[in-house]
Amino acid sequence: ILHKDLIVAGADDKSVYGIDAKTGNLRWQHLGDQVATTNVAVAGNAAYYGAVNTLHAIDLSSGEKIWPSGKQIPDGLHPKIDAALDGVVVSTNGGRLLMFNATADKPVWEQRFSRLRVSFTFQEDRIYVSTGNYVVALRASTGASIWQQTMLMELAFEPATNDQTVAVVSTDGKVMALNASNGRPMFGKPIELKSRPNVAPSFTGRLLTVPTFNGALNVIDPQAASVVWSYVAPPLVNRISSGSTAGGGAAGGDGPASGGGAAGAAGAAGAGAGGGSTQAEQIVTHTTIAGRVVAAGDSLFALTYDGSLMMFDKNLGVDLTAPEIALLWPRLGEEVAGKAPMEIVFKVQDLGIGV
């Protein structure tokens, strides 16, 4: 996480690192007793992280512990913690939501929920919580309830928020939007995406982005209650090997039966010829978005599970410059066998899209 000119990052070697954002030099390294099981959150002059059932606070200037033994959370921490105002908010496996401040010995406030499986979102002076099929808005400074709204559907992730709207998505891919001030639904019927969400929804300005398991990045306008556009992420490789299949042996004469390969069917009585083994291919039609979509300027960036980075830009629009394609093999003048299988290698380069 970036805080002013300091990058604070947790690692799997039980350490939290403070790195100078301008030079990349290490300012400090905090070595904990356990590997962090939550993200790192920064509020005020403290960095917070959780390790199983203990919340830790670190001084940003030195990397030293603020709480000598940490704050014990007997019912265990959920993986996500978030900075709110001058403290940090955490949720627990026991359905509790708590706010801590580095200068206080006890939690600033605590709220209990019957169900708290998914997480929460902080926006300005409010915390929005998904709990089962309810959305609850809390005052960040006190934990007091402002409003709650039943959604009549099981919620998949924490709410997405901007200054006017709270949006949620269900486990079966239905999207609803609420008025942030009073929690009232902004439209009657949910928007159906026809696929389950695989990443938490997020706002980029007034538009909501929801990636789904069918490979689509869905961009929704909650004010108009409509899908603005939906783009299915293409895979880098559209064919993958799916293992070997073995054919059965041909029928033989009198004698014991013989099948071809491990999966071959036995031949008729007699020694049959062995069946051939083939490599089956599976056509891949899409990949899926790996994390929340990020906005920078007029562009949207999305990272996919096959390692590609996609950019959508309203100003650049459609790329009209054709890629450069060069034949690498066989080279001009070389002779090759004119029978299958035959390998032909091309180099495709398109600097406009990073290929």
Side-chain angles (χ1 to χ4, degrees), residues 124-211:
E124 295 180 347
D125 65 336
R126 296 186 179 189
I127 295 170
Y128 299 97
V129 185
S130 294
T131 169
N133 56 7
Y134 279 86
V135 178
V136 181
L138 305 176
R139 187 73 61 192
S141 57
T142 63
S145 177
I146 301 173
W147 54 257
Q148 63 178 8
Q149 180 65 247
T150 179
M151 306 308 303
L152 301 178
M153 57 187 188
E154 189 71 16
L155 302 180
F157 297 100
E158 66 267 25
T161 63
N162 61 16
D163 57 350
Q164 297 180 332
T165 309
V166 179
V168 291
V169 59
S170 68
T171 54
D172 58 354
K174 296 176 183 177
V175 177
M176 280 293 291
L178 309 174
N179 187 305
S181 62
N182 54 31
R184 294 174 182 169
M186 297 174 61
F187 43 84
K189 290 182 61 178
I191 299 171
E192 298 194 22
L193 300 179
K194 297 181 173 63
S195 181
R196 296 179 294 118
N198 70 307
V199 175
S202 59
F203 272 100
T204 54
R206 65 181 182 84
L207 298 178
L208 181 71
T209 59
V210 186

Side-chain angles (χ1 to χ4, degrees), residues 217-253:
L217 174 59
N218 306 280
V219 177
I220 298 167
D221 184 350
Q223 301 292 333
S226 63
V227 177
V228 179
W229 53 264
S230 181
Y231 179 83
V232 176
L236 286 177
V237 178
N238 60 10
R239 291 176 184 269
I240 61 173
S241 168
S242 60
S244 299
T245 58

Side-chain angles (χ1 to χ4, degrees), residues 20-347:
D20 191 298
K22 295 180 180 179
T23 65
N25 294 330
L26 181 66
R27 288 192 188 175
W28 49 258
Q29 177 183 354
H30 169 82
L31 180 61
D33 298 325
Q34 295 175 297
V35 175
T37 55
T38 74
N39 60 294
V40 177
V42 173
N45 192 44
Y48 301 85
Y49 74 95
V52 187
N53 59 356
T54 307
L55 181 68
H56 299 278
I58 305 169
D59 189 302
L60 284 180
S61 58
S62 64
E64 297 295 328
K65 288 183 178 181
I66 295 177
W67 302 324
S69 302
K71 301 299 181 185
Q72 298 302 308
I73 313 293
D75 47 347
L77 289 164
H78 282 165
K80 180 192 172 183
I81 64 176
D82 202 356
L85 303 179
D86 59 349
V88 65
V89 178
V90 304
S91 57
T92 74
N93 298 324
R96 296 188 298 153
L97 196 68
L98 305 98
M99 182 176 185
F100 288 90
N101 186 293
T103 61
D105 293 330
K106 297 180 179 180
V108 178
W109 53 258
E110 176 180 335
Q111 275 279 8
R112 292 181 177 269
F113 297 88
S114 58
R115 295 182 63 190
L116 193 57
R117 183 175 58 85
V118 294
S119 197
F120 58 92
T121 306
F122 171 70
Q123 176 75 24
E124 295 180 347
D125 65 336
R126 296 186 179 189
I127 295 170
Y128 299 97
V129 185
S130 294
T131 169
N133 56 7
Y134 279 86
V135 178
V136 181
L138 305 176
R139 187 73 61 192
S141 57
T142 63
S145 177
I146 301 173
W147 54 257
Q148 63 178 8
Q149 180 65 247
T150 179
M151 306 308 303
L152 301 178
M153 57 187 188
E154 189 71 16
L155 302 180
F157 297 100
E158 66 267 25
T161 63
N162 61 16
D163 57 350
Q164 297 180 332
T165 309
V166 179
V168 291
V169 59
S170 68
T171 54
D172 58 354
K174 296 176 183 177
V175 177
M176 280 293 291
L178 309 174
N179 187 305
S181 62
N182 54 31
R184 294 174 182 169
M186 297 174 61
F187 43 84
K189 290 182 61 178
I191 299 171
E192 298 194 22
L193 300 179
K194 297 181 173 63
S195 181
R196 296 179 294 118
N198 70 307
V199 175
S202 59
F203 272 100
T204 54
R206 65 181 182 84
L207 298 178
L208 181 71
T209 59
V210 186
T212 47
F213 273 107
N214 63 355
L217 174 59
N218 306 280
V219 177
I220 298 167
D221 184 350
Q223 301 292 333
S226 63
V227 177
V228 179
W229 53 264
S230 181
Y231 179 83
V232 176
L236 286 177
V237 178
N238 60 10
R239 291 176 184 269
I240 61 173
S241 168
S242 60
S244 299
T245 58
D254 293 339
S258 172
S277 176
T278 61
Q279 193 77 7
E281 279 191 335
Q282 176 183 353
I283 298 177
V284 181
T285 59
H286 64 270
T287 184
T288 51
I289 308 299
R292 289 191 178 188
V293 177
V294 175
D298 292 327
S299 301
L300 288 179
F301 295 88
L303 187 67
T304 65
Y305 273 108
D306 64 0
S308 59
L309 178 65
M310 300 189 300
M311 183 187 79
F312 305 85
D313 190 289
K314 71 175 184 180
N315 297 320
L316 296 178
V318 179
D319 182 10
L320 299 178
T321 304
E324 298 178 6
I325 303 176
L327 179 63
L328 300 183
W329 174 263
R331 290 170 293 189
L332 185 65
E334 292 183 323
E335 294 183 0
V336 296
K339 62 180 181 179
M342 184 177 185
E343 186 178 70
I344 302 176
V345 181
F346 292 90
K347 178 183 179 182

